Amino acid sequence: MTTSITTLALNLLVSERIGQRYIFADKIIALVQETQDDSENKKDFLNVITLCIEDPSSEARNTFVQLAQYYAEKINAA
């Protein structure tokens, strides 16, 4: 993998254009969908991504970063 999920997550949060945020979100979602994780974390992460696309400064961003780190570790362990 050339781009880590945490890098994509940070790019999503700092991007000023919503179109760019959707591009980063699509890449994150593709990586998350590839993981073998049927837990509530995946559903929560997908919901938090949507919140952060609309408002990257929302309170959800801390959860977003934590879940991005969780999935980065999960992907790197695979």
Side-chain angles (χ1 to χ4, degrees):
M1 170 182 7
T2 57
T3 305
S4 80
I5 197 166
T6 51
T7 302
L8 291 169
L10 293 173
N11 285 333
L12 185 149
L13 291 175
V14 300
S15 180
E16 293 182 8
R17 292 190 260 160
I18 195 165
Q20 285 296 107
R21 293 195 298 265
Y22 276 107
I23 291 169
F24 293 125
D26 287 342
K27 291 178 182 183
I28 293 168
I29 291 168
L31 290 171
V32 170
Q33 295 294 356
E34 292 175 4
T35 64
Q36 300 297 325
D37 184 12
D38 295 328
S39 70
E40 284 293 310
N41 283 341
K42 187 181 277 189
K43 181 180 172 186
D44 290 342
F45 194 35
L46 298 176
N47 289 332
V48 169
I49 289 171
T50 304
L51 294 173
C52 287
I53 290 170
E54 296 301 321
D55 182 9
S57 298
S58 73
E59 292 181 17
R61 75 174 171 217
N62 291 334
T63 303
F64 176 63
V65 171
Q66 290 173 349
L67 287 169
Q69 290 172 337
Y70 168 80
Y71 278 102
E73 290 172 11
K74 195 164 190 64
I75 290 169
N76 289 334

